[in-house]
Amino acid sequence: MAEIRQAGGSPTFRIAISGYYGFRNSGDEAVLKSILLALEAEGREQGVRIKPVVLSGDPATTESMYGVQAVGRMSPAGLLRTIAGCDGLISGGGSLLQDVTGSKTIPYYAGILKLAQLLGKPTFIYAQGVGPVLNRRMDGLIRHVMTRSAYVSVRDAESAELLGRMGVPRERIGIVPDPVMGLPLPIGAADAASGGAGDRTPVVGISLRRWRKDGADLARAAEALGELARRRPVRLRFLPFHVPADAEASRETIERLGELGPGSSAELAEPGDDPQRMLLEVSRCDLLVGMRLHALIYAAGQRVPMLGISYDPKIDQFLARLEERPAATTEAMDASAFADAAERLLDGSDAWRADKAPLIDRLQREAAWPAQHIVRHLRQKAKR
Protein backbone atom coordinates (compact mmCIF):
# COMPACT_ATOMS: atom_id res chain seq x y z
CA MET A 1 0.00 0.00 0.00
CA ALA A 2 1.65 3.20 -1.20
CA GLU A 3 0.47 5.32 1.70
CA ILE A 4 1.77 8.88 2.16
CA ARG A 5 1.91 10.50 5.61
CA GLN A 6 1.22 14.22 5.78
CA ALA A 7 2.89 16.54 8.25
CA GLY A 8 -0.21 16.48 10.45
CA GLY A 9 -0.19 12.69 10.55
CA SER A 10 -3.25 12.06 8.35
CA PRO A 11 -2.73 9.37 5.69
CA THR A 12 -3.22 10.19 2.03
CA PHE A 13 -4.38 7.60 -0.51
CA ARG A 14 -4.06 7.99 -4.28
CA ILE A 15 -7.02 6.48 -6.09
CA ALA A 16 -7.32 6.05 -9.86
CA ILE A 17 -10.87 6.52 -11.19
CA SER A 18 -11.90 4.82 -14.43
CA GLY A 19 -15.06 5.77 -16.31
CA TYR A 20 -16.45 7.57 -19.36
CA TYR A 21 -14.96 10.91 -18.40
CA GLY A 22 -13.72 13.79 -20.52
CA PHE A 23 -16.27 13.39 -23.35
CA ARG A 24 -18.62 16.34 -22.68
CA ASN A 25 -21.43 14.11 -21.46
CA SER A 26 -23.11 15.97 -18.58
CA GLY A 27 -24.46 12.78 -17.03
CA ASP A 28 -21.11 11.04 -16.87
CA GLU A 29 -19.38 14.21 -15.70
CA ALA A 30 -22.01 14.42 -12.96
CA VAL A 31 -21.09 10.86 -11.94
CA LEU A 32 -17.44 11.87 -11.65
CA LYS A 33 -18.23 15.06 -9.73
CA SER A 34 -20.46 13.08 -7.35
CA ILE A 35 -17.79 10.45 -6.72
CA LEU A 36 -15.13 13.09 -6.09
CA LEU A 37 -17.34 14.96 -3.62
CA ALA A 38 -18.37 11.75 -1.84
CA LEU A 39 -14.76 10.58 -1.47
CA GLU A 40 -13.70 14.00 -0.18
CA ALA A 41 -16.52 14.10 2.36
CA GLU A 42 -15.94 10.55 3.54
CA GLY A 43 -12.20 11.15 3.78
CA ARG A 44 -12.85 14.07 6.12
CA GLU A 45 -15.24 11.94 8.14
CA GLN A 46 -12.70 9.12 8.56
CA GLY A 47 -9.65 11.35 9.01
CA VAL A 48 -7.84 10.63 5.73
CA ARG A 49 -7.20 12.48 2.49
CA ILE A 50 -8.15 10.97 -0.84
CA LYS A 51 -6.09 12.13 -3.83
CA PRO A 52 -7.93 11.15 -7.04
CA VAL A 53 -6.30 10.54 -10.42
CA VAL A 54 -8.92 10.47 -13.19
CA LEU A 55 -8.48 8.44 -16.38
CA SER A 56 -9.92 10.89 -18.89
CA GLY A 57 -10.52 11.34 -22.59
CA ASP A 58 -9.55 15.01 -22.13
CA PRO A 59 -7.16 15.27 -19.16
CA ALA A 60 -6.63 19.03 -19.44
CA THR A 61 -10.36 19.76 -19.28
CA THR A 62 -10.88 17.29 -16.42
CA GLU A 63 -8.07 18.89 -14.42
CA SER A 64 -9.47 22.35 -15.06
CA MET A 65 -13.05 21.45 -14.14
CA TYR A 66 -12.38 19.47 -10.98
CA GLY A 67 -8.96 20.53 -9.73
CA VAL A 68 -7.67 16.96 -9.65
CA GLN A 69 -4.92 15.15 -11.52
CA ALA A 70 -6.00 13.49 -14.77
CA VAL A 71 -4.19 11.29 -17.30
CA GLY A 72 -5.06 10.02 -20.77
CA ARG A 73 -7.23 6.92 -20.68
CA MET A 74 -5.82 5.33 -23.86
CA SER A 75 -2.06 5.41 -23.24
CA PRO A 76 -0.88 1.92 -22.15
CA ALA A 77 2.37 3.25 -20.68
CA GLY A 78 0.59 6.10 -18.93
CA LEU A 79 -2.08 3.81 -17.51
CA LEU A 80 0.50 1.35 -16.24
CA ARG A 81 2.52 4.10 -14.59
CA THR A 82 -0.55 5.77 -13.08
CA ILE A 83 -2.17 2.65 -11.66
CA ALA A 84 1.14 1.35 -10.33
CA GLY A 85 1.53 4.60 -8.40
CA CYS A 86 -1.95 4.46 -6.84
CA ASP A 87 -3.33 2.70 -3.79
CA GLY A 88 -6.39 1.38 -5.58
CA LEU A 89 -8.72 1.81 -8.56
CA ILE A 90 -12.38 2.75 -8.74
CA SER A 91 -14.35 1.63 -11.79
CA GLY A 92 -17.55 3.58 -12.27
CA GLY A 93 -20.11 4.66 -12.07
CA GLY A 94 -22.19 4.64 -15.20
CA SER A 95 -22.95 1.86 -17.66
CA LEU A 96 -19.41 0.68 -18.34
CA LEU A 97 -19.81 -3.09 -18.62
CA GLN A 98 -22.22 -3.28 -21.55
CA ASP A 99 -21.77 -3.86 -25.26
CA VAL A 100 -24.73 -1.99 -26.76
CA THR A 101 -22.64 1.09 -27.50
CA GLY A 102 -19.71 -0.91 -28.90
CA SER A 103 -17.92 -4.25 -28.77
CA LYS A 104 -14.75 -2.74 -27.27
CA THR A 105 -16.40 -1.21 -24.21
CA ILE A 106 -16.36 -4.27 -21.94
CA PRO A 107 -12.79 -5.34 -22.86
CA TYR A 108 -11.54 -1.80 -22.18
CA TYR A 109 -13.11 -1.27 -18.74
CA ALA A 110 -12.58 -4.87 -17.64
CA GLY A 111 -9.01 -4.63 -18.91
CA ILE A 112 -8.35 -1.57 -16.71
CA LEU A 113 -9.65 -3.52 -13.73
CA LYS A 114 -7.53 -6.55 -14.61
CA LEU A 115 -4.41 -4.39 -14.96
CA ALA A 116 -4.92 -2.96 -11.48
CA GLN A 117 -5.48 -6.44 -10.05
CA LEU A 118 -2.32 -7.77 -11.71
CA LEU A 119 -0.44 -4.88 -10.09
CA GLY A 120 -1.78 -5.94 -6.70
CA LYS A 121 -4.10 -2.94 -6.28
CA PRO A 122 -7.54 -3.27 -4.68
CA THR A 123 -10.33 -2.52 -7.13
CA PHE A 124 -13.74 -1.09 -6.31
CA ILE A 125 -16.88 -1.21 -8.47
CA TYR A 126 -18.75 2.03 -7.81
CA ALA A 127 -22.51 1.96 -8.45
CA GLN A 128 -22.26 0.58 -11.96
CA GLY A 129 -25.16 -0.30 -14.22
CA VAL A 130 -24.15 -3.66 -15.72
CA GLY A 131 -25.54 -4.78 -19.07
CA PRO A 132 -27.01 -5.36 -21.47
CA VAL A 133 -24.32 -7.90 -22.43
CA LEU A 134 -25.14 -9.30 -25.86
CA ASN A 135 -21.90 -11.22 -26.35
CA ARG A 136 -22.09 -13.97 -23.76
CA ARG A 137 -18.37 -14.66 -24.21
CA MET A 138 -17.83 -11.55 -22.10
CA ASP A 139 -19.45 -13.18 -19.06
CA GLY A 140 -16.24 -14.90 -17.98
CA LEU A 141 -14.18 -11.73 -18.19
CA ILE A 142 -16.74 -9.75 -16.19
CA ARG A 143 -17.02 -12.52 -13.58
CA HIS A 144 -13.21 -12.66 -13.29
CA VAL A 145 -12.70 -8.95 -12.50
CA MET A 146 -15.77 -8.72 -10.30
CA THR A 147 -14.91 -11.65 -8.06
CA ARG A 148 -11.40 -10.23 -7.58
CA SER A 149 -12.63 -6.78 -6.61
CA ALA A 150 -12.50 -5.67 -2.99
CA TYR A 151 -15.93 -4.06 -3.20
CA VAL A 152 -18.74 -4.40 -5.74
CA SER A 153 -21.80 -2.14 -5.91
CA VAL A 154 -24.35 -1.73 -8.69
CA ARG A 155 -27.11 0.81 -9.15
CA ASP A 156 -30.08 -1.52 -9.59
CA ALA A 157 -31.33 -5.01 -8.79
CA GLU A 158 -31.28 -6.03 -12.45
CA SER A 159 -27.50 -5.44 -12.63
CA ALA A 160 -27.04 -7.54 -9.48
CA GLU A 161 -29.13 -10.34 -10.95
CA LEU A 162 -27.12 -10.29 -14.19
CA LEU A 163 -23.84 -10.54 -12.29
CA GLY A 164 -25.32 -13.37 -10.22
CA ARG A 165 -26.19 -15.29 -13.38
CA MET A 166 -22.62 -14.79 -14.54
CA GLY A 167 -21.38 -16.46 -11.37
CA VAL A 168 -20.52 -13.52 -9.11
CA PRO A 169 -21.57 -14.42 -5.54
CA ARG A 170 -24.77 -12.51 -4.84
CA GLU A 171 -23.79 -11.76 -1.24
CA ARG A 172 -20.79 -9.76 -2.49
CA ILE A 173 -22.90 -7.35 -4.56
CA GLY A 174 -24.29 -4.21 -2.97
CA ILE A 175 -27.22 -2.38 -4.56
CA VAL A 176 -26.92 1.40 -4.21
CA PRO A 177 -28.35 4.44 -6.00
CA ASP A 178 -26.59 6.20 -8.84
CA PRO A 179 -23.88 8.48 -7.37
CA VAL A 180 -25.55 11.54 -8.90
CA MET A 181 -28.37 11.27 -6.35
CA GLY A 182 -25.88 12.83 -3.94
CA LEU A 183 -24.81 15.72 -6.18
CA PRO A 184 -25.47 19.12 -4.53
CA LEU A 185 -26.27 22.41 -6.22
CA PRO A 186 -23.36 24.80 -6.78
CA ILE A 187 -22.33 26.83 -3.75
CA GLY A 188 -24.54 29.89 -3.45
CA ALA A 189 -27.35 28.38 -5.54
CA ALA A 190 -29.38 26.84 -2.73
CA ASP A 191 -32.13 29.37 -3.29
CA ALA A 192 -32.65 28.22 -6.89
CA ALA A 193 -36.27 27.74 -7.85
CA SER A 194 -37.47 24.17 -7.63
CA GLY A 195 -41.04 24.09 -8.83
CA GLY A 196 -43.82 26.36 -7.70
CA ALA A 197 -44.48 28.37 -10.84
CA GLY A 198 -46.85 30.85 -9.22
CA ASP A 199 -47.93 33.45 -11.77
CA ARG A 200 -45.06 32.84 -14.19
CA THR A 201 -45.17 30.50 -17.15
CA PRO A 202 -44.22 26.96 -16.02
CA VAL A 203 -40.83 25.75 -17.25
CA VAL A 204 -40.77 22.26 -18.75
CA GLY A 205 -37.20 20.98 -18.97
CA ILE A 206 -36.65 18.51 -21.82
CA SER A 207 -33.71 16.13 -22.20
CA LEU A 208 -33.79 14.22 -25.50
CA ARG A 209 -31.28 12.16 -27.40
CA ARG A 210 -31.42 10.64 -30.86
CA TRP A 211 -32.02 6.92 -30.50
CA ARG A 212 -33.83 5.80 -33.63
CA LYS A 213 -31.90 6.46 -36.81
CA ASP A 214 -35.06 7.50 -38.65
CA GLY A 215 -35.84 10.18 -36.05
CA ALA A 216 -39.33 8.80 -35.40
CA ASP A 217 -38.80 9.04 -31.64
CA LEU A 218 -38.00 12.75 -31.87
CA ALA A 219 -41.01 13.29 -34.13
CA ARG A 220 -43.30 11.64 -31.56
CA ALA A 221 -41.75 13.70 -28.76
CA ALA A 222 -42.35 16.89 -30.76
CA GLU A 223 -45.98 15.92 -31.32
CA ALA A 224 -46.54 15.31 -27.59
CA LEU A 225 -44.74 18.48 -26.47
CA GLY A 226 -46.58 20.52 -29.09
CA GLU A 227 -49.87 19.11 -27.79
CA LEU A 228 -49.00 20.26 -24.28
CA ALA A 229 -47.87 23.71 -25.47
CA ARG A 230 -51.11 24.25 -27.35
CA ARG A 231 -53.24 23.30 -24.36
CA ARG A 232 -51.67 25.74 -21.91
CA PRO A 233 -48.83 28.27 -21.72
CA VAL A 234 -45.52 26.51 -21.04
CA ARG A 235 -41.88 27.37 -21.58
CA LEU A 236 -40.25 24.37 -23.25
CA ARG A 237 -36.57 24.53 -22.27
CA PHE A 238 -34.42 21.92 -24.01
CA LEU A 239 -31.40 20.75 -21.96
CA PRO A 240 -28.60 19.05 -23.96
CA PHE A 241 -26.84 16.57 -21.68
CA HIS A 242 -24.38 15.37 -24.32
CA VAL A 243 -22.94 18.06 -26.58
CA PRO A 244 -23.18 18.37 -29.53
CA ALA A 245 -25.42 15.35 -30.21
CA ASP A 246 -28.24 16.27 -27.82
CA ALA A 247 -28.20 19.90 -28.94
CA GLU A 248 -28.73 18.76 -32.53
CA ALA A 249 -31.57 16.43 -31.47
CA SER A 250 -33.15 19.29 -29.52
CA ARG A 251 -32.97 21.68 -32.47
CA GLU A 252 -34.57 19.10 -34.72
CA THR A 253 -37.38 18.57 -32.22
CA ILE A 254 -37.96 22.32 -31.86
CA GLU A 255 -38.28 22.59 -35.64
CA ARG A 256 -40.93 19.85 -35.58
CA LEU A 257 -43.08 21.44 -32.84
CA GLY A 258 -45.24 23.45 -35.19
CA GLU A 259 -47.29 26.43 -34.02
CA LEU A 260 -47.54 26.67 -30.23
CA GLY A 261 -50.39 28.06 -28.21
CA PRO A 262 -50.60 31.62 -26.82
CA GLY A 263 -47.97 32.21 -24.14
CA SER A 264 -45.94 29.09 -24.99
CA SER A 265 -42.35 29.13 -26.24
CA ALA A 266 -39.42 26.80 -26.98
CA GLU A 267 -35.72 27.44 -26.41
CA LEU A 268 -32.38 25.64 -26.20
CA ALA A 269 -30.32 26.09 -23.03
CA GLU A 270 -26.53 26.30 -23.08
CA PRO A 271 -25.43 25.33 -19.56
CA GLY A 272 -21.90 24.35 -20.58
CA ASP A 273 -19.99 21.30 -19.43
CA ASP A 274 -20.16 21.79 -15.65
CA PRO A 275 -22.63 19.18 -14.30
CA GLN A 276 -23.65 21.42 -11.39
CA ARG A 277 -24.68 24.15 -13.82
CA MET A 278 -26.97 21.64 -15.53
CA LEU A 279 -28.26 20.56 -12.12
CA LEU A 280 -29.11 24.20 -11.46
CA GLU A 281 -30.97 24.36 -14.79
CA VAL A 282 -33.03 21.31 -13.82
CA SER A 283 -33.75 22.71 -10.34
CA ARG A 284 -35.42 25.71 -11.97
CA CYS A 285 -37.89 23.56 -13.89
CA ASP A 286 -41.46 22.81 -12.86
CA LEU A 287 -41.47 19.54 -14.80
CA LEU A 288 -38.71 17.47 -16.39
CA VAL A 289 -39.31 15.33 -19.48
CA GLY A 290 -36.30 13.07 -19.86
CA MET A 291 -34.77 10.38 -22.02
CA ARG A 292 -31.32 10.78 -20.47
CA LEU A 293 -31.02 8.82 -17.21
CA HIS A 294 -29.13 11.56 -15.43
CA ALA A 295 -31.70 14.17 -16.38
CA LEU A 296 -34.23 12.11 -14.43
CA ILE A 297 -31.78 11.63 -11.56
CA TYR A 298 -31.11 15.38 -11.46
CA ALA A 299 -34.85 15.99 -11.30
CA ALA A 300 -35.32 13.50 -8.47
CA GLY A 301 -32.49 15.03 -6.47
CA GLN A 302 -34.06 18.48 -6.82
CA ARG A 303 -37.63 17.28 -6.22
CA VAL A 304 -38.75 18.21 -9.72
CA PRO A 305 -41.71 16.13 -11.02
CA MET A 306 -40.71 14.06 -14.03
CA LEU A 307 -41.92 12.09 -17.01
CA GLY A 308 -39.50 9.50 -18.36
CA ILE A 309 -39.18 8.39 -21.98
CA SER A 310 -37.60 4.94 -22.03
CA TYR A 311 -35.03 3.80 -24.58
CA ASP A 312 -33.10 1.46 -22.27
CA PRO A 313 -33.93 -0.73 -19.23
CA LYS A 314 -31.90 1.61 -17.01
CA ILE A 315 -34.62 4.26 -17.41
CA ASP A 316 -37.33 1.83 -16.29
CA GLN A 317 -35.15 0.63 -13.40
CA PHE A 318 -34.52 4.09 -12.02
CA LEU A 319 -38.15 5.14 -12.34
CA ALA A 320 -39.18 1.95 -10.51
CA ARG A 321 -37.13 3.06 -7.50
CA LEU A 322 -39.41 6.09 -7.36
CA GLU A 323 -42.46 3.85 -7.86
CA GLU A 324 -42.95 5.33 -11.31
CA ARG A 325 -43.19 3.95 -14.84
CA PRO A 326 -42.12 5.51 -18.15
CA ALA A 327 -44.72 7.81 -19.65
CA ALA A 328 -43.64 6.70 -23.13
CA THR A 329 -40.91 4.87 -25.02
CA THR A 330 -38.90 5.63 -28.12
CA GLU A 331 -41.16 3.16 -29.93
CA ALA A 332 -44.56 4.35 -28.74
CA MET A 333 -45.91 7.66 -27.46
CA ASP A 334 -49.54 8.77 -27.26
CA ALA A 335 -49.40 12.56 -27.57
CA SER A 336 -52.74 13.15 -25.86
CA ALA A 337 -52.02 10.78 -22.95
CA PHE A 338 -48.54 12.29 -22.53
CA ALA A 339 -49.95 15.81 -22.39
CA ASP A 340 -52.56 14.64 -19.87
CA ALA A 341 -49.82 13.24 -17.63
CA ALA A 342 -47.77 16.44 -17.93
CA GLU A 343 -50.76 18.58 -16.96
CA ARG A 344 -51.46 16.42 -13.91
CA LEU A 345 -47.90 16.89 -12.69
CA LEU A 346 -47.87 20.63 -13.37
CA ASP A 347 -51.10 21.04 -11.43
CA GLY A 348 -50.17 18.59 -8.67
CA SER A 349 -46.46 19.19 -8.15
CA ASP A 350 -46.72 19.71 -4.38
CA ALA A 351 -48.50 16.38 -3.96
CA TRP A 352 -45.87 14.64 -6.11
CA ARG A 353 -43.04 16.05 -3.99
CA ALA A 354 -44.71 15.04 -0.74
CA ASP A 355 -45.33 11.53 -2.05
CA LYS A 356 -41.78 10.99 -3.36
CA ALA A 357 -39.86 12.70 -0.54
CA PRO A 358 -39.26 9.55 1.58
CA LEU A 359 -38.04 7.58 -1.45
CA ILE A 360 -35.72 10.39 -2.61
CA ASP A 361 -34.35 10.97 0.90
CA ARG A 362 -33.45 7.29 1.17
CA LEU A 363 -31.72 7.24 -2.22
CA GLN A 364 -29.66 10.29 -1.32
CA ARG A 365 -28.50 8.72 1.95
CA GLU A 366 -27.58 5.45 0.27
CA ALA A 367 -25.65 7.21 -2.52
CA ALA A 368 -22.79 7.76 -0.01
CA TRP A 369 -22.38 4.06 0.83
CA PRO A 370 -19.73 3.17 -1.81
CA ALA A 371 -17.42 6.00 -0.71
CA GLN A 372 -17.81 4.91 2.89
CA HIS A 373 -16.85 1.31 2.04
CA ILE A 374 -13.88 2.33 -0.09
CA VAL A 375 -12.32 4.72 2.41
CA ARG A 376 -12.86 2.25 5.25
CA HIS A 377 -11.17 -0.52 3.23
CA LEU A 378 -8.13 1.65 2.49
CA ARG A 379 -7.77 2.67 6.12
CA GLN A 380 -8.03 -0.88 7.37
CA LYS A 381 -5.57 -2.23 4.83
CA ALA A 382 -3.07 0.50 5.70
CA LYS A 383 -3.13 -0.59 9.35
CA ARG A 384 -2.14 -4.19 8.57
Side-chain angles (χ1 to χ4, degrees):
M1 177 66 66
E3 179 189 355
I4 304 171
R5 289 281 175 181
Q6 292 180 302
S10 298
T12 296
F13 300 102
R14 289 171 56 86
I15 301 295
I17 304 179
S18 168
Y20 190 70
Y21 307 131
F23 293 96
R24 302 192 70 189
N25 184 315
S26 180
D28 289 292
E29 294 304 317
V31 168
L32 175 58
K33 181 72 171 182
S34 301
I35 292 174
L36 293 173
L37 290 174
L39 291 172
E40 181 182 14
E42 195 55 39
R44 284 196 305 268
E45 182 70 21
Q46 298 194 37
V48 303
R49 181 176 175 231
I50 302 298
K51 189 173 182 180
V53 184
V54 179
L55 311 184
S56 172
D58 185 349
T61 298
T62 297
E63 289 186 349
S64 175
M65 285 183 66
Y66 307 114
V68 299
Q69 182 183 353
V71 298
R73 72 200 295 270
M74 297 304 292
S75 167
L79 290 173
L80 178 62
R81 184 168 54 251
T82 297
I83 296 173
C86 286
D87 300 295
L89 178 130
I90 290 172
S91 179
S95 301
L96 305 183
L97 297 177
Q98 51 79 27
D99 55 8
V100 175
T101 59
S103 60
K104 297 179 181 179
T105 304
I106 293 174
Y108 172 79
Y109 290 110
I112 295 293
L113 282 163
K114 181 60 180 174
L115 174 60
Q117 291 165 0
L118 287 172
L119 291 170
K121 309 298 180 179
T123 56
F124 310 98
I125 311 302
Y126 202 121
Q128 282 201 28
V130 182
V133 179
L134 306 179
N135 183 356
R136 307 314 310 178
R137 290 177 294 181
M138 292 292 103
D139 288 10
L141 177 59
I142 294 172
R143 178 176 62 250
H144 180 84
V145 296
M146 288 286 176
T147 55
R148 285 160 178 77
S149 289
Y151 171 73
V152 177
S153 62
V154 295
R155 68 185 181 197
D156 51 66
E158 290 77 7
S159 294
E161 291 171 5
L162 177 57
L163 290 180
R165 292 196 298 271
M166 291 179 180
V168 181
R170 182 62 184 81
E171 65 274 10
R172 296 197 66 241
I173 308 169
I175 300 176
V176 299
D178 189 285
V180 179
M181 281 301 304
L183 184 66
L185 285 170
I187 295 174
D191 60 345
S194 180
D199 294 332
R200 67 176 173 81
T201 303
V203 178
V204 179
I206 303 157
S207 167
L208 299 178
R209 63 171 298 171
R210 176 179 291 278
W211 187 249
R212 288 179 55 107
K213 292 182 179 179
D214 62 4
D217 47 350
L218 299 181
R220 284 190 282 266
E223 181 184 3
L225 293 167
E227 172 76 14
L228 173 64
R230 285 184 284 274
R231 289 188 185 185
R232 64 193 294 166
V234 289
R235 181 180 167 196
L236 303 178
R237 188 159 172 81
F238 288 77
L239 307 174
F241 270 67
H242 193 177
V243 179
D246 288 8
E248 294 170 0
S250 296
R251 291 189 191 97
E252 180 177 334
T253 305
I254 291 172
E255 291 174 0
R256 292 174 181 260
L257 286 173
E259 185 176 353
L260 305 180
S264 289
S265 62
E267 61 198 46
L268 178 62
E270 296 183 4
D273 296 332
D274 188 332
Q276 286 181 298
R277 286 184 59 191
M278 180 65 88
L279 182 67
L280 182 58
E281 285 279 356
V282 172
S283 77
R284 291 170 169 164
C285 295
D286 300 285
L287 172 67
L288 190 287
V289 175
M291 282 179 65
R292 288 285 186 187
L293 172 64
H294 286 104
L296 299 171
I297 294 174
Y298 279 17
Q302 297 303 310
R303 273 63 170 179
V304 174
M306 69 188 73
L307 291 174
I309 302 174
S310 180
Y311 73 95
D312 185 280
K314 64 186 180 183
I315 303 297
D316 306 67
Q317 291 155 8
F318 174 71
L319 291 171
R321 300 188 79 163
L322 294 178
E323 298 179 354
E324 295 277 358
R325 299 179 64 181
T329 72
T330 50
E331 302 304 313
M333 180 182 296
D334 184 309
S336 180
F338 190 92
D340 287 344
E343 289 201 287
R344 285 194 296 271
L345 285 177
L346 287 170
D347 293 334
S349 57
D350 289 342
W352 185 92
R353 278 188 281 273
D355 181 51
K356 303 305 178 185
L359 298 172
I360 294 171
D361 289 343
R362 177 179 177 181
L363 291 177
Q364 290 183 319
R365 288 194 303 271
E366 294 176 355
W369 287 359
Q372 294 170 5
H373 280 278
I374 291 167
V375 174
R376 189 180 306 121
H377 177 94
L378 292 171
R379 288 181 68 247
Q380 291 173 347
K381 189 167 183 179
K383 293 178 180 178
R384 295 172 191 167

